[in-house]
mmCIF file of all heavy atoms in Angstrom:
data_model
loop_
_atom_site.group_PDB
_atom_site.id
_atom_site.type_symbol
_atom_site.label_atom_id
_atom_site.label_comp_id
_atom_site.label_asym_id
_atom_site.label_seq_id
_atom_site.Cartn_x
_atom_site.Cartn_y
_atom_site.Cartn_z
ATOM 1 N N ILE A 23 -4.143 8.059 -19.607
ATOM 2 C CA ILE A 23 -4.605 6.691 -19.431
ATOM 3 C C ILE A 23 -5.801 6.714 -18.487
ATOM 4 O O ILE A 23 -5.711 7.235 -17.369
ATOM 5 C CB ILE A 23 -3.500 5.789 -18.862
ATOM 6 C CG1 ILE A 23 -2.309 5.746 -19.835
ATOM 7 C CG2 ILE A 23 -4.023 4.381 -18.592
ATOM 8 C CD1 ILE A 23 -1.092 5.042 -19.278
ATOM 9 N N TYR A 24 -6.921 6.155 -18.945
ATOM 10 C CA TYR A 24 -8.138 6.080 -18.133
ATOM 11 C C TYR A 24 -8.469 4.622 -17.839
ATOM 12 O O TYR A 24 -8.418 3.773 -18.733
ATOM 13 C CB TYR A 24 -9.321 6.712 -18.873
ATOM 14 C CG TYR A 24 -9.377 8.220 -18.787
ATOM 15 C CD1 TYR A 24 -8.550 9.018 -19.587
ATOM 16 C CD2 TYR A 24 -10.256 8.855 -17.906
ATOM 17 C CE1 TYR A 24 -8.595 10.398 -19.509
ATOM 18 C CE2 TYR A 24 -10.309 10.237 -17.823
ATOM 19 C CZ TYR A 24 -9.475 11.002 -18.620
ATOM 20 O OH TYR A 24 -9.522 12.373 -18.535
ATOM 21 N N LEU A 25 -8.794 4.333 -16.591
ATOM 22 C CA LEU A 25 -9.366 3.052 -16.197
ATOM 23 C C LEU A 25 -10.808 3.322 -15.812
ATOM 24 O O LEU A 25 -11.074 3.967 -14.793
ATOM 25 C CB LEU A 25 -8.594 2.440 -15.020
ATOM 26 C CG LEU A 25 -7.077 2.230 -15.231
ATOM 27 C CD1 LEU A 25 -6.472 1.520 -14.042
ATOM 28 C CD2 LEU A 25 -6.807 1.452 -16.518
ATOM 29 N N GLY A 26 -11.726 2.870 -16.632
ATOM 30 C CA GLY A 26 -13.110 3.286 -16.457
ATOM 31 C C GLY A 26 -13.203 4.782 -16.692
ATOM 32 O O GLY A 26 -12.691 5.301 -17.688
ATOM 33 N N ASP A 27 -13.808 5.518 -15.761
ATOM 34 C CA ASP A 27 -13.916 6.971 -15.908
ATOM 35 C C ASP A 27 -12.858 7.717 -15.100
ATOM 36 O O ASP A 27 -12.916 8.935 -14.952
ATOM 37 C CB ASP A 27 -15.317 7.448 -15.500
ATOM 38 C CG ASP A 27 -15.681 7.047 -14.073
ATOM 39 O OD1 ASP A 27 -14.841 6.406 -13.398
ATOM 40 O OD2 ASP A 27 -16.800 7.370 -13.639
ATOM 41 N N ARG A 28 -11.856 6.978 -14.560
ATOM 42 C CA ARG A 28 -10.799 7.606 -13.754
ATOM 43 C C ARG A 28 -9.558 7.863 -14.592
ATOM 44 O O ARG A 28 -9.040 6.962 -15.261
ATOM 45 C CB ARG A 28 -10.402 6.699 -12.580
ATOM 46 C CG ARG A 28 -11.419 6.584 -11.470
ATOM 47 C CD ARG A 28 -10.751 5.981 -10.227
ATOM 48 N NE ARG A 28 -10.042 4.740 -10.542
ATOM 49 C CZ ARG A 28 -8.986 4.296 -9.865
ATOM 50 N NH1 ARG A 28 -8.492 5.000 -8.858
ATOM 51 N NH2 ARG A 28 -8.424 3.145 -10.187
ATOM 52 N N ASN A 29 -9.052 9.069 -14.537
ATOM 53 C CA ASN A 29 -7.763 9.385 -15.148
ATOM 54 C C ASN A 29 -6.672 8.940 -14.177
ATOM 55 O O ASN A 29 -6.483 9.541 -13.115
ATOM 56 C CB ASN A 29 -7.660 10.886 -15.422
ATOM 57 C CG ASN A 29 -6.380 11.249 -16.159
ATOM 58 O OD1 ASN A 29 -5.420 10.485 -16.193
ATOM 59 N ND2 ASN A 29 -6.369 12.430 -16.770
ATOM 60 N N VAL A 30 -5.943 7.864 -14.543
ATOM 61 C CA VAL A 30 -4.949 7.291 -13.631
ATOM 62 C C VAL A 30 -3.521 7.593 -14.086
ATOM 63 O O VAL A 30 -2.570 7.008 -13.566
ATOM 64 C CB VAL A 30 -5.143 5.766 -13.503
ATOM 65 C CG1 VAL A 30 -6.524 5.434 -12.978
ATOM 66 C CG2 VAL A 30 -4.881 5.056 -14.836
ATOM 67 N N THR A 31 -3.370 8.489 -15.048
ATOM 68 C CA THR A 31 -2.051 8.756 -15.636
ATOM 69 C C THR A 31 -1.000 9.034 -14.576
ATOM 70 O O THR A 31 0.148 8.575 -14.689
ATOM 71 C CB THR A 31 -2.139 9.953 -16.605
ATOM 72 O OG1 THR A 31 -3.239 9.756 -17.508
ATOM 73 C CG2 THR A 31 -0.849 10.098 -17.386
ATOM 74 N N ASP A 32 -1.356 9.772 -13.545
ATOM 75 C CA ASP A 32 -0.382 10.166 -12.520
ATOM 76 C C ASP A 32 -0.524 9.379 -11.216
ATOM 77 O O ASP A 32 0.156 9.690 -10.231
ATOM 78 C CB ASP A 32 -0.516 11.667 -12.231
ATOM 79 C CG ASP A 32 -0.223 12.520 -13.466
ATOM 80 O OD1 ASP A 32 0.733 12.203 -14.184
ATOM 81 O OD2 ASP A 32 -0.976 13.481 -13.708
ATOM 82 N N LEU A 33 -1.379 8.372 -11.204
ATOM 83 C CA LEU A 33 -1.564 7.588 -9.992
ATOM 84 C C LEU A 33 -0.477 6.517 -9.856
ATOM 85 O O LEU A 33 -0.077 5.914 -10.853
ATOM 86 C CB LEU A 33 -2.936 6.909 -9.987
ATOM 87 C CG LEU A 33 -4.169 7.773 -9.747
ATOM 88 C CD1 LEU A 33 -5.417 6.888 -9.730
ATOM 89 C CD2 LEU A 33 -4.049 8.550 -8.454
ATOM 90 N N PRO A 34 -0.018 6.240 -8.638
ATOM 91 C CA PRO A 34 0.956 5.155 -8.423
ATOM 92 C C PRO A 34 0.289 3.795 -8.623
ATOM 93 O O PRO A 34 -0.949 3.693 -8.596
ATOM 94 C CB PRO A 34 1.395 5.353 -6.977
ATOM 95 C CG PRO A 34 0.248 6.043 -6.321
ATOM 96 C CD PRO A 34 -0.350 6.927 -7.365
ATOM 97 N N PRO A 35 1.073 2.728 -8.801
ATOM 98 C CA PRO A 35 0.505 1.399 -9.063
ATOM 99 C C PRO A 35 -0.485 0.933 -8.006
ATOM 100 O O PRO A 35 -1.508 0.322 -8.338
ATOM 101 C CB PRO A 35 1.747 0.490 -9.098
ATOM 102 C CG PRO A 35 2.870 1.396 -9.483
ATOM 103 C CD PRO A 35 2.552 2.714 -8.870
ATOM 104 N N ASN A 36 -0.212 1.217 -6.727
ATOM 105 C CA ASN A 36 -1.077 0.702 -5.654
ATOM 106 C C ASN A 36 -2.433 1.403 -5.585
ATOM 107 O O ASN A 36 -3.291 1.010 -4.801
ATOM 108 C CB ASN A 36 -0.363 0.814 -4.306
ATOM 109 C CG ASN A 36 -0.059 2.241 -3.909
ATOM 110 O OD1 ASN A 36 0.360 3.049 -4.738
ATOM 111 N ND2 ASN A 36 -0.267 2.577 -2.644
ATOM 112 N N LYS A 37 -2.639 2.433 -6.396
ATOM 113 C CA LYS A 37 -3.922 3.137 -6.419
ATOM 114 C C LYS A 37 -4.771 2.753 -7.641
ATOM 115 O O LYS A 37 -5.825 3.338 -7.875
ATOM 116 C CB LYS A 37 -3.691 4.647 -6.438
ATOM 117 C CG LYS A 37 -2.936 5.190 -5.218
ATOM 118 C CD LYS A 37 -3.723 5.021 -3.940
ATOM 119 C CE LYS A 37 -2.996 5.680 -2.763
ATOM 120 N NZ LYS A 37 -3.726 5.473 -1.484
ATOM 121 N N ARG A 38 -4.317 1.767 -8.400
ATOM 122 C CA ARG A 38 -5.000 1.457 -9.658
ATOM 123 C C ARG A 38 -5.832 0.173 -9.606
ATOM 124 O O ARG A 38 -6.544 -0.135 -10.559
ATOM 125 C CB ARG A 38 -3.973 1.363 -10.800
ATOM 126 C CG ARG A 38 -3.193 2.654 -10.995
ATOM 127 C CD ARG A 38 -2.401 2.660 -12.284
ATOM 128 N NE ARG A 38 -1.607 3.884 -12.416
ATOM 129 C CZ ARG A 38 -1.091 4.333 -13.545
ATOM 130 N NH1 ARG A 38 -1.263 3.646 -14.661
ATOM 131 N NH2 ARG A 38 -0.390 5.448 -13.570
ATOM 132 N N ASN A 39 -5.698 -0.635 -8.581
ATOM 133 C CA ASN A 39 -6.432 -1.906 -8.456
ATOM 134 C C ASN A 39 -6.207 -2.802 -9.667
ATOM 135 O O ASN A 39 -7.146 -3.284 -10.300
ATOM 136 C CB ASN A 39 -7.927 -1.652 -8.249
ATOM 137 C CG ASN A 39 -8.657 -2.907 -7.776
ATOM 138 O OD1 ASN A 39 -8.093 -3.714 -7.027
ATOM 139 N ND2 ASN A 39 -9.887 -3.080 -8.211
ATOM 140 N N ILE A 40 -4.934 -3.030 -9.966
ATOM 141 C CA ILE A 40 -4.544 -3.840 -11.119
ATOM 142 C C ILE A 40 -3.752 -5.051 -10.650
ATOM 143 O O ILE A 40 -2.855 -4.937 -9.810
ATOM 144 C CB ILE A 40 -3.703 -3.005 -12.111
ATOM 145 C CG1 ILE A 40 -4.586 -1.988 -12.834
ATOM 146 C CG2 ILE A 40 -2.990 -3.895 -13.119
ATOM 147 C CD1 ILE A 40 -3.823 -1.055 -13.748
ATOM 148 N N GLY A 41 -4.073 -6.224 -11.191
ATOM 149 C CA GLY A 41 -3.285 -7.431 -10.958
ATOM 150 C C GLY A 41 -2.274 -7.598 -12.075
ATOM 151 O O GLY A 41 -2.596 -7.384 -13.244
ATOM 152 N N LEU A 42 -1.027 -7.961 -11.726
ATOM 153 C CA LEU A 42 0.044 -8.052 -12.716
ATOM 154 C C LEU A 42 0.807 -9.354 -12.540
ATOM 155 O O LEU A 42 1.230 -9.701 -11.438
ATOM 156 C CB LEU A 42 1.002 -6.858 -12.569
ATOM 157 C CG LEU A 42 2.212 -6.785 -13.486
ATOM 158 C CD1 LEU A 42 1.789 -6.759 -14.956
ATOM 159 C CD2 LEU A 42 3.053 -5.548 -13.172
ATOM 160 N N VAL A 43 0.976 -10.087 -13.649
ATOM 161 C CA VAL A 43 1.756 -11.325 -13.654
ATOM 162 C C VAL A 43 2.947 -11.135 -14.584
ATOM 163 O O VAL A 43 2.774 -10.823 -15.767
ATOM 164 C CB VAL A 43 0.912 -12.525 -14.123
ATOM 165 C CG1 VAL A 43 1.772 -13.795 -14.177
ATOM 166 C CG2 VAL A 43 -0.270 -12.738 -13.191
ATOM 167 N N PHE A 44 4.164 -11.320 -14.036
ATOM 168 C CA PHE A 44 5.387 -11.156 -14.805
ATOM 169 C C PHE A 44 5.820 -12.491 -15.417
ATOM 170 O O PHE A 44 5.439 -13.569 -14.946
ATOM 171 C CB PHE A 44 6.527 -10.643 -13.915
ATOM 172 C CG PHE A 44 6.276 -9.296 -13.299
ATOM 173 C CD1 PHE A 44 5.760 -9.188 -12.025
ATOM 174 C CD2 PHE A 44 6.554 -8.132 -14.001
ATOM 175 C CE1 PHE A 44 5.535 -7.953 -11.447
ATOM 176 C CE2 PHE A 44 6.327 -6.889 -13.445
ATOM 177 C CZ PHE A 44 5.818 -6.804 -12.163
ATOM 178 N N GLN A 45 6.675 -12.408 -16.437
ATOM 179 C CA GLN A 45 7.225 -13.620 -17.040
ATOM 180 C C GLN A 45 8.048 -14.409 -16.023
ATOM 181 O O GLN A 45 8.029 -15.640 -16.004
ATOM 182 C CB GLN A 45 8.101 -13.264 -18.247
ATOM 183 C CG GLN A 45 8.716 -14.475 -18.929
ATOM 184 C CD GLN A 45 9.560 -14.093 -20.141
ATOM 185 O OE1 GLN A 45 9.629 -12.929 -20.524
ATOM 186 N NE2 GLN A 45 10.195 -15.077 -20.738
ATOM 187 N N SER A 46 8.762 -13.709 -15.146
ATOM 188 C CA SER A 46 9.620 -14.367 -14.155
ATOM 189 C C SER A 46 8.846 -14.856 -12.936
ATOM 190 O O SER A 46 9.414 -15.476 -12.045
ATOM 191 C CB SER A 46 10.705 -13.392 -13.693
ATOM 192 O OG SER A 46 10.119 -12.278 -13.027
ATOM 193 N N PHE A 47 7.536 -14.557 -12.881
ATOM 194 C CA PHE A 47 6.624 -14.894 -11.784
ATOM 195 C C PHE A 47 6.880 -14.049 -10.531
ATOM 196 O O PHE A 47 5.959 -13.702 -9.823
ATOM 197 C CB PHE A 47 6.676 -16.382 -11.413
ATOM 198 C CG PHE A 47 6.455 -17.320 -12.579
ATOM 199 C CD1 PHE A 47 7.096 -18.535 -12.633
ATOM 200 C CD2 PHE A 47 5.599 -16.967 -13.610
ATOM 201 C CE1 PHE A 47 6.890 -19.396 -13.701
ATOM 202 C CE2 PHE A 47 5.383 -17.826 -14.688
ATOM 203 C CZ PHE A 47 6.035 -19.041 -14.725
ATOM 204 N N ALA A 48 8.155 -13.729 -10.204
ATOM 205 C CA ALA A 48 8.500 -12.849 -9.075
ATOM 206 C C ALA A 48 7.869 -13.314 -7.766
ATOM 207 O O ALA A 48 7.326 -12.516 -7.001
ATOM 208 C CB ALA A 48 8.086 -11.405 -9.396
ATOM 209 N N LEU A 49 7.957 -14.614 -7.484
ATOM 210 C CA LEU A 49 7.408 -15.178 -6.249
ATOM 211 C C LEU A 49 8.444 -15.111 -5.133
ATOM 212 O O LEU A 49 9.650 -15.019 -5.384
ATOM 213 C CB LEU A 49 6.977 -16.621 -6.485
ATOM 214 C CG LEU A 49 5.916 -16.821 -7.576
ATOM 215 C CD1 LEU A 49 5.706 -18.299 -7.852
ATOM 216 C CD2 LEU A 49 4.601 -16.165 -7.172
ATOM 217 N N PHE A 50 7.979 -15.181 -3.888
ATOM 218 C CA PHE A 50 8.870 -15.167 -2.728
ATOM 219 C C PHE A 50 9.291 -16.603 -2.396
ATOM 220 O O PHE A 50 8.454 -17.403 -1.952
ATOM 221 C CB PHE A 50 8.166 -14.540 -1.517
ATOM 222 C CG PHE A 50 7.721 -13.120 -1.756
ATOM 223 C CD1 PHE A 50 6.373 -12.789 -1.798
ATOM 224 C CD2 PHE A 50 8.659 -12.115 -1.940
ATOM 225 C CE1 PHE A 50 5.964 -11.487 -2.008
ATOM 226 C CE2 PHE A 50 8.253 -10.801 -2.147
ATOM 227 C CZ PHE A 50 6.913 -10.481 -2.194
ATOM 228 N N PRO A 51 10.548 -16.949 -2.611
ATOM 229 C CA PRO A 51 10.962 -18.357 -2.449
ATOM 230 C C PRO A 51 10.896 -18.863 -1.012
ATOM 231 O O PRO A 51 10.766 -20.064 -0.786
ATOM 232 C CB PRO A 51 12.401 -18.356 -2.978
ATOM 233 C CG PRO A 51 12.874 -16.941 -2.833
ATOM 234 C CD PRO A 51 11.654 -16.093 -3.073
ATOM 235 N N HIS A 52 10.989 -17.947 -0.027
ATOM 236 C CA HIS A 52 10.976 -18.369 1.376
ATOM 237 C C HIS A 52 9.559 -18.571 1.910
ATOM 238 O O HIS A 52 9.382 -19.016 3.047
ATOM 239 C CB HIS A 52 11.700 -17.326 2.233
ATOM 240 C CG HIS A 52 11.038 -15.985 2.237
ATOM 241 N ND1 HIS A 52 11.093 -15.144 1.147
ATOM 242 C CD2 HIS A 52 10.292 -15.349 3.184
ATOM 243 C CE1 HIS A 52 10.421 -14.037 1.428
ATOM 244 N NE2 HIS A 52 9.929 -14.134 2.662
ATOM 245 N N MET A 53 8.555 -18.229 1.097
ATOM 246 C CA MET A 53 7.168 -18.368 1.523
ATOM 247 C C MET A 53 6.531 -19.596 0.891
ATOM 248 O O MET A 53 6.942 -20.057 -0.179
ATOM 249 C CB MET A 53 6.350 -17.135 1.122
ATOM 250 C CG MET A 53 6.715 -15.853 1.832
ATOM 251 S SD MET A 53 5.572 -14.537 1.300
ATOM 252 C CE MET A 53 6.222 -13.137 2.212
ATOM 253 N N SER A 54 5.474 -20.093 1.523
ATOM 254 C CA SER A 54 4.684 -21.177 0.951
ATOM 255 C C SER A 54 3.760 -20.620 -0.127
ATOM 256 O O SER A 54 3.650 -19.400 -0.319
ATOM 257 C CB SER A 54 3.848 -21.850 2.044
ATOM 258 O OG SER A 54 2.851 -20.945 2.510
ATOM 259 N N VAL A 55 3.095 -21.529 -0.822
ATOM 260 C CA VAL A 55 2.117 -21.120 -1.826
ATOM 261 C C VAL A 55 1.053 -20.220 -1.198
ATOM 262 O O VAL A 55 0.746 -19.138 -1.696
ATOM 263 C CB VAL A 55 1.456 -22.359 -2.461
ATOM 264 C CG1 VAL A 55 0.253 -21.963 -3.319
ATOM 265 C CG2 VAL A 55 2.464 -23.138 -3.296
ATOM 266 N N ARG A 56 0.491 -20.657 -0.086
ATOM 267 C CA ARG A 56 -0.553 -19.887 0.590
ATOM 268 C C ARG A 56 -0.046 -18.510 1.002
ATOM 269 O O ARG A 56 -0.753 -17.501 0.846
ATOM 270 C CB ARG A 56 -1.064 -20.653 1.815
ATOM 271 C CG ARG A 56 -2.109 -19.892 2.630
ATOM 272 C CD ARG A 56 -2.659 -20.739 3.756
ATOM 273 N NE ARG A 56 -3.422 -21.859 3.219
ATOM 274 C CZ ARG A 56 -4.699 -21.772 2.830
ATOM 275 N NH1 ARG A 56 -5.341 -20.606 2.934
ATOM 276 N NH2 ARG A 56 -5.325 -22.814 2.368
ATOM 277 N N GLU A 57 1.161 -18.440 1.534
ATOM 278 C CA GLU A 57 1.715 -17.160 1.990
ATOM 279 C C GLU A 57 1.960 -16.219 0.821
ATOM 280 O O GLU A 57 1.739 -15.006 0.934
ATOM 281 C CB GLU A 57 3.004 -17.406 2.768
ATOM 282 C CG GLU A 57 2.781 -18.062 4.128
ATOM 283 C CD GLU A 57 4.065 -18.563 4.755
ATOM 284 O OE1 GLU A 57 5.053 -18.802 4.006
ATOM 285 O OE2 GLU A 57 4.094 -18.725 5.989
ATOM 286 N N ASN A 58 2.416 -16.755 -0.311
ATOM 287 C CA ASN A 58 2.601 -15.929 -1.503
ATOM 288 C C ASN A 58 1.277 -15.334 -1.967
ATOM 289 O O ASN A 58 1.197 -14.139 -2.282
ATOM 290 C CB ASN A 58 3.215 -16.758 -2.633
ATOM 291 C CG ASN A 58 4.721 -16.653 -2.699
ATOM 292 O OD1 ASN A 58 5.271 -15.712 -3.265
ATOM 293 N ND2 ASN A 58 5.396 -17.620 -2.101
ATOM 294 N N VAL A 59 0.257 -16.172 -2.011
ATOM 295 C CA VAL A 59 -1.046 -15.719 -2.501
ATOM 296 C C VAL A 59 -1.685 -14.723 -1.527
ATOM 297 O O VAL A 59 -2.330 -13.759 -1.936
ATOM 298 C CB VAL A 59 -1.974 -16.927 -2.741
ATOM 299 C CG1 VAL A 59 -3.375 -16.464 -3.148
ATOM 300 C CG2 VAL A 59 -1.390 -17.836 -3.824
ATOM 301 N N ALA A 60 -1.463 -14.940 -0.243
ATOM 302 C CA ALA A 60 -2.064 -14.062 0.770
ATOM 303 C C ALA A 60 -1.358 -12.716 0.878
ATOM 304 O O ALA A 60 -1.934 -11.761 1.436
ATOM 305 C CB ALA A 60 -2.038 -14.754 2.130
ATOM 306 N N PHE A 61 -0.150 -12.599 0.342
ATOM 307 C CA PHE A 61 0.667 -11.402 0.537
ATOM 308 C C PHE A 61 -0.043 -10.100 0.146
ATOM 309 O O PHE A 61 -0.016 -9.122 0.912
ATOM 310 C CB PHE A 61 1.993 -11.548 -0.224
ATOM 311 C CG PHE A 61 2.924 -10.400 -0.012
ATOM 312 C CD1 PHE A 61 3.661 -10.291 1.160
ATOM 313 C CD2 PHE A 61 3.071 -9.409 -0.974
ATOM 314 C CE1 PHE A 61 4.524 -9.222 1.364
ATOM 315 C CE2 PHE A 61 3.921 -8.336 -0.777
ATOM 316 C CZ PHE A 61 4.660 -8.243 0.401
ATOM 317 N N PRO A 62 -0.694 -10.014 -1.030
ATOM 318 C CA PRO A 62 -1.366 -8.751 -1.387
ATOM 319 C C PRO A 62 -2.446 -8.348 -0.390
ATOM 320 O O PRO A 62 -2.705 -7.156 -0.200
ATOM 321 C CB PRO A 62 -1.972 -9.045 -2.765
ATOM 322 C CG PRO A 62 -1.168 -10.176 -3.298
ATOM 323 C CD PRO A 62 -0.816 -11.005 -2.107
ATOM 324 N N LEU A 63 -3.091 -9.331 0.250
ATOM 325 C CA LEU A 63 -4.140 -9.019 1.228
ATOM 326 C C LEU A 63 -3.545 -8.573 2.555
ATOM 327 O O LEU A 63 -4.095 -7.714 3.239
ATOM 328 C CB LEU A 63 -5.033 -10.245 1.435
ATOM 329 C CG LEU A 63 -5.697 -10.802 0.163
ATOM 330 C CD1 LEU A 63 -6.561 -12.004 0.501
ATOM 331 C CD2 LEU A 63 -6.517 -9.729 -0.542
ATOM 332 N N LYS A 64 -2.403 -9.161 2.911
ATOM 333 C CA LYS A 64 -1.752 -8.781 4.177
ATOM 334 C C LYS A 64 -1.233 -7.347 4.128
ATOM 335 O O LYS A 64 -1.334 -6.601 5.096
ATOM 336 C CB LYS A 64 -0.620 -9.759 4.489
ATOM 337 C CG LYS A 64 -1.104 -11.145 4.921
ATOM 338 C CD LYS A 64 0.046 -12.027 5.328
ATOM 339 C CE LYS A 64 -0.449 -13.403 5.789
ATOM 340 N NZ LYS A 64 -1.252 -13.323 7.031
ATOM 341 N N ILE A 65 -0.652 -6.959 2.979
ATOM 342 C CA ILE A 65 -0.142 -5.586 2.895
ATOM 343 C C ILE A 65 -1.288 -4.581 2.842
ATOM 344 O O ILE A 65 -1.091 -3.390 3.082
ATOM 345 C CB ILE A 65 0.816 -5.386 1.692
ATOM 346 C CG1 ILE A 65 0.101 -5.622 0.365
ATOM 347 C CG2 ILE A 65 2.035 -6.288 1.827
ATOM 348 C CD1 ILE A 65 0.963 -5.279 -0.839
#
């Protein structure tokens, strides 16, 4: 699997710069909208 000119076959998800939306949404119920959206930037 190549993303652009990078072979990412063995790379973990956090090294691929991919956004993913699930059917279940997988949101954090204890967080606000802003906190949910900010989460990827905080980590």
Side-chain angles (χ1 to χ4, degrees):
I23 299 172
Y24 279 78
L25 304 185
D27 57 0
R28 288 195 308 152
N29 185 342
V30 301
T31 310
D32 298 318
L33 287 182
N36 63 318
K37 299 295 185 182
R38 300 192 183 198
N39 194 34
I40 288 176
L42 178 59
V43 178
F44 298 95
Q45 180 179 356
S46 64
F47 306 147
L49 301 172
F50 300 114
H52 63 287
M53 293 184 182
S54 68
V55 169
R56 177 175 294 277
E57 289 168 338
N58 266 277
V59 176
F61 183 78
L63 303 180
K64 288 185 179 294
I65 63 173

